[in-house]
Amino acid sequence: MKIRALEIKDLDDFIEMCAQHAVYEKASFSKEGKEEKFKDLLESKSNWQAFVVEIDQQLVGYCSLVKQFSTWGAEHYLYLDCLFIKEVYRGRKIGSLLMKWVNGYAKEANCNEIQWQTPDFNTDAIRFYNRIGALSKTKERFFWTV
């Protein structure tokens, strides 16, 4: 298993995994225009970072991260925007290894906390996050279209 930065050559597989992730979380997702947007992000060296999990030269999962600032904490934290492992690869400790890798990445980025969210119906993910020692905080997430 190898964890590495997302590359432009990975975009077709990456976008397909994003679509699978959206289905898993009962969300809408359109592939239209995504390749160009992700390509622009990768070339611009934005604050968004994506990493893929590769086994035998096949992408089996990904995570995406953004370093953010907490006003109340007066320090940076790492926001884990997405974490996804293809269904046929779940249960093989890949998620645990990826989260351990994310933890190390956060330390290297001088972040003392990682934050993320998952839908309340995603009980498998909630059990997984509890098992690795993460704490949950109940909040409502709002969306405001501009």
Side-chain angles (χ1 to χ4, degrees):
M1 184 182 98
K2 177 181 180 181
I3 299 171
R4 62 171 177 78
L6 176 69
E7 299 174 7
I8 290 173
K9 69 179 177 74
D10 302 321
L11 288 179
D12 285 341
D13 290 337
F14 176 74
I15 292 166
E16 178 57 34
M17 285 191 294
C18 289
Q20 291 172 20
H21 191 181
V23 167
Y24 185 77
E25 291 205 357
K26 302 174 185 173
S28 61
F29 180 83
S30 170
K31 294 180 183 180
E32 190 172 327
K34 294 295 192 296
E35 184 173 352
E36 195 60 39
K37 288 179 180 183
F38 284 125
K39 185 178 177 190
D40 289 347
L41 276 169
L42 291 172
E43 290 175 342
S44 71
K45 304 293 183 191
S46 76
N47 195 29
W48 175 83
Q49 300 286 313
F51 299 91
V52 293
V53 179
E54 184 178 57
I55 296 176
D56 296 329
Q57 299 176 343
Q58 181 181 355
L59 301 187
V60 302
Y62 74 94
C63 68
S64 57
L65 313 164
V66 180
K67 187 174 181 179
Q68 295 186 345
F69 187 79
S70 167
T71 301
W72 290 355
E75 56 195 357
H76 287 93
Y77 66 94
L78 194 64
Y79 181 73
L80 175 63
D81 182 54
C82 287
L83 177 107
F84 178 77
I85 306 296
K86 288 182 178 178
E87 188 172 0
V88 297
Y89 289 92
R90 293 182 197 144
R92 301 182 188 187
K93 307 286 185 205
I94 296 169
S96 296
L97 292 170
L98 185 54
M99 288 299 286
K100 185 177 180 180
W101 183 90
V102 168
N103 190 287
Y105 183 91
K107 288 176 185 172
E108 288 178 20
N110 295 316
C111 296
N112 67 349
E113 186 174 71
I114 304 164
Q115 296 182 20
W116 67 93
Q117 57 194 3
T118 196
D120 60 358
F121 59 79
N122 192 349
T123 56
D124 289 340
I126 292 167
R127 275 193 304 273
F128 168 69
Y129 296 139
N130 286 326
R131 197 169 50 246
I132 65 169
L135 302 175
S136 174
K137 182 187 286 187
T138 303
K139 286 189 172 188
E140 293 287 329
R141 182 172 183 155
F142 293 88
F143 299 83
W144 192 10
T145 303
V146 272

